Amino acid sequence: MQSTAFSSLPLSPAMLTNLDQLGYRDMTPIQAQSLPPMLERRDVIAQAKTGSGKTAAFGIGILHKLNPAYFAIQALVLCPTRELADQVAQELRRLARFTENIKVLTLTGGSPMGPQIGSLEHGAHIVVGTPGRILDHIGRGSIKLSTVQTLVLDEADRMTDMGFQDEMISIVKACPERRQTLLFSATYPDNIRNASAAFLRDPVEIKVESQHNAGQIEQRFYTVAPEQRNDAVARLLRHYRPVSTLAFCNTKIHCRELAAQLRAQGFSALALYGELEQRERDEILIQFVNQSCSVLVATDVAARGLDIQTLGTVINVDVSKDTEVHIHRIGRTGRGAAAGLALNLCAPNEKKWVKLIEQYQNRPVDWFELDALESASASTSASATSPSDDTLLAPMTTLCIMGGKKDKLRPGDLLGALTADVGLSKDQVGKINVSEFITYVALDRRIAQQAARKLSTANIKGKSFKMRFLQDKR
């Protein structure tokens, strides 16, 4: 039997030690199948579900042959969204800790061009970016891709769906012909197969079936009348009481409507969909990840590429007509060794799509009755439906501080001020996100207002900063 241990690969001792420290000991199926040809510098086409470990796979492939002493762009990773690019860059930095001075640069839209151009002038080993912004830099002459040895197209199907196919092809043409190309895609439809054939050389094609362990992700299906769908979501949330829920709708209009109805009933809920401004999108995601928002209602395009490690429940408010999409939706929960729960609402006219899901996963789905939830929820009393019921609110709320990396602020500075000056315990402070100009701090909802008042009168690194809470939509 072939070993799945990372130590079975021809990696440097320093990289293996770092992988072990990061908890990477046994390879996932996509890693076990794709890494050997990657390390042989073969082109690879890999199909795998969300959460399969693909970022670590191509990250190890990139770093294995990267020369830190050669200060030039040796690898380019294209991602469909800013959020995925940030997550990929963060993972690459963790994987690169085994050696010093590897610079990973993120180039995405929604950020000023000036600082990015300045960073490019100082050089980088690996660039992670979105197609539109990378093409902008190529047009300005601020990036040169003539030294790229590895090109990664991450979530190529989503980039195509978002209309980036022409940009992808232009970027590929700006890279050297002699390079390694790694294409990762949840699906591999004919349009991508035809477009990629021109720039892949004798690729090794790998497919890890888009199935989930039925023992790890429990799926429950509920029949519902179309006009009762939103009320059914609230009933499910009250019954199961998940700390963090991602609810999928098929349209942005439905996203907005459902999030508004949930807030009216006392839930901490936000909507994520296309056409949001980047700043608003970033702040919504920050609140969801730091547990200031307990329910994120999203479309598939908006949610693609999100890396949320502690997601207990997925609710499919609408049944997807695409079985692959359904599998990727439920794959957001049950990551790693954690158990997951996927709750699915199905109107009578959607039963045909459920039949396709059953055929795809080669087993019947389990049906449950919404009315059976009533007896289990009765003990929560009538107050459970009241907007004043704090058990429906997210445990944290987010304080926004008008200072960031440009002011030399670091997470440790904020944590120190909140514990030493304000008197909070570490348990009362959640995630701290420091961006260029703004810092977001998650605070225990119960003490947040009092803590903010005290912090506003204190100095952080000898400075006073303006601050406000992100709009606490309920």
Side-chain angles (χ1 to χ4, degrees):
M1 184 175 175
Q2 189 175 4
S3 173
T4 60
F6 281 99
S7 56
S8 67
L9 298 173
L11 303 175
S12 70
M15 182 183 281
L16 287 171
T17 298
N18 184 48
L19 289 172
D20 188 68
Q21 291 172 347
L22 293 172
Y24 290 118
R25 295 177 180 86
D26 291 308
M27 291 181 277
T28 65
I30 192 64
Q31 292 164 354
Q33 293 184 49
S34 66
L35 272 167
M38 275 190 219
L39 299 182
E40 293 173 358
R41 306 199 178 192
R42 295 283 304 277
D43 283 6
V44 170
I45 299 167
Q47 276 184 263
K49 67 183 183 182
T50 300
S52 60
K54 60 184 174 63
T55 304
F58 66 69
I60 292 168
I62 288 171
L63 293 166
H64 175 69
K65 66 179 180 182
L66 189 138
N67 179 5
Y70 180 40
F71 206 59
I73 300 173
Q74 298 174 49
L76 172 64
V77 183
L78 286 184
C79 301
T81 67
R82 175 181 178 175
E83 291 76 29
L84 181 59
D86 287 339
Q87 290 157 18
V88 167
Q90 183 177 356
E91 178 67 3
L92 290 175
R93 293 184 185 106
R94 292 173 71 237
L95 292 169
R97 290 190 317 197
F98 69 92
T99 188
E100 294 183 352
N101 302 323
I102 291 181
K103 183 176 178 183
V104 181
L105 183 60
T106 309
L107 301 177
T108 61
S111 298
M113 288 290 289
Q116 292 183 359
I117 292 171
S119 295
L120 284 166
E121 288 174 350
H122 289 95
H125 294 98
I126 304 170
V127 168
V128 185
T130 48
R133 182 52 59 98
I134 296 294
L135 201 59
D136 283 348
H137 281 290
I138 292 173
R140 291 169 180 259
S142 51
I143 191 171
K144 297 287 190 291
L145 302 179
S146 57
T147 54
V148 168
Q149 299 174 12
T150 308
L151 172 65
V152 179
L153 305 176
D154 192 12
E155 298 203 355
D157 55 344
R158 186 55 56 186
M159 284 193 279
T160 300
D161 289 347
M162 295 171 70
F164 287 134
Q165 184 165 320
D166 290 343
E167 287 88 340
M168 287 165 56
I169 292 171
S170 296
I171 292 166
V172 168
K173 289 179 179 177
C175 296
E177 286 191 18
R178 293 181 61 83
R179 64 170 190 276
Q180 181 182 34
T181 303
L182 309 174
L183 188 151
F184 284 79
S185 191
T187 58
Y188 195 46
D190 288 341
N191 62 332
I192 296 179
R193 184 179 293 275
N194 295 335
S196 62
F199 55 78
L200 288 163
R201 295 178 303 166
D202 188 25
V204 176
E205 193 165 338
I206 296 160
K207 182 175 182 180
V208 175
E209 289 299 325
S210 295
Q211 297 287 351
H212 301 285
N213 185 340
Q216 189 169 341
I217 300 177
E218 181 184 4
Q219 289 199 72
R220 293 183 167 225
F221 282 76
Y222 296 87
T223 301
V224 65
E227 67 275 9
Q228 296 174 335
R229 208 184 289 267
N230 291 356
D231 288 337
V233 174
R235 289 171 68 181
L236 291 171
L237 290 170
R238 288 197 188 92
H239 176 76
Y240 290 101
R241 302 244 167 197
V243 174
S244 188
T245 301
L246 183 55
F248 284 101
C249 296
N250 288 346
T251 67
K252 64 182 179 183
I253 294 174
H254 193 182
C255 280
R256 289 196 297 260
E257 289 176 350
L258 176 57
Q261 287 188 34
L262 290 175
R263 287 195 296 270
Q265 296 184 54
F267 295 95
S268 299
L270 295 171
L272 183 71
Y273 49 88
E275 300 176 16
L276 286 173
E277 290 187 5
Q278 190 65 50
R279 170 79 168 272
E280 188 175 8
R281 180 181 171 86
D282 290 345
E283 292 186 346
I284 287 169
L285 289 173
I286 285 169
Q287 290 176 86
F288 186 56
V289 172
N290 72 18
Q291 296 192 339
S292 296
C293 161
S294 56
V295 185
L296 182 64
V297 187
T299 58
D300 290 299
V301 170
R304 188 69 180 263
L306 302 187
D307 185 20
I308 303 160
Q309 298 298 326
T310 56
L311 185 60
T313 303
V314 164
I315 298 179
N316 286 314
V317 186
D318 302 303
V319 177
S320 174
K321 298 176 183 179
D322 186 329
T323 51
E324 288 273 2
V325 169
H326 174 81
I327 295 298
H328 288 294
R329 282 180 175 184
I330 68 172
R332 304 284 173 177
T333 184
R335 294 291 184 94
L341 179 64
L343 306 172
N344 307 275
L345 297 175
C346 177
N349 66 333
E350 294 174 323
K351 291 282 181 76
K352 56 181 178 284
W353 308 121
V354 177
K355 288 289 185 187
L356 293 177
I357 292 169
E358 290 179 319
Q359 292 172 15
Y360 187 87
Q361 63 187 21
N362 199 27
R363 63 179 182 273
V365 302
D366 295 319
W367 291 95
F368 296 82
E369 294 294 330
L370 278 168
D371 289 342
L373 300 179
E374 294 302 332
S375 59
S377 303
S379 60
T380 60
S381 81
S383 64
T385 61
S386 168
S388 63
D389 180 7
D390 284 346
T391 61
L392 303 180
L393 293 175
M396 313 296 280
T397 190
T398 300
L399 182 66
C400 178
I401 298 169
M402 304 305 164
K405 293 176 183 176
K406 291 294 185 184
D407 302 288
K408 309 253 189 289
L409 279 185
R410 298 172 301 176
D413 300 324
L414 270 298
L415 183 60
L418 288 164
T419 52
D421 299 337
V422 178
L424 301 185
S425 67
K426 289 185 179 179
D427 291 341
Q428 293 172 316
V429 183
K431 288 184 179 291
I432 300 175
N433 298 83
V434 183
S435 63
E436 288 297 307
F437 304 103
I438 301 174
T439 298
Y440 302 94
V441 186
L443 299 174
D444 186 315
R445 183 179 294 278
R446 295 167 297 184
I447 51 82
Q449 295 291 340
Q450 180 183 358
R453 284 194 295 271
K454 289 184 179 179
L455 187 63
S456 65
T457 62
N459 285 334
I460 306 170
K461 295 194 75 170
K463 295 181 182 179
S464 178
F465 295 95
K466 292 181 179 179
M467 54 192 71
R468 63 178 174 85
F469 282 101
L470 289 185
Q471 187 176 358
D472 193 5
K473 296 179 178 178
R474 311 186 188 180

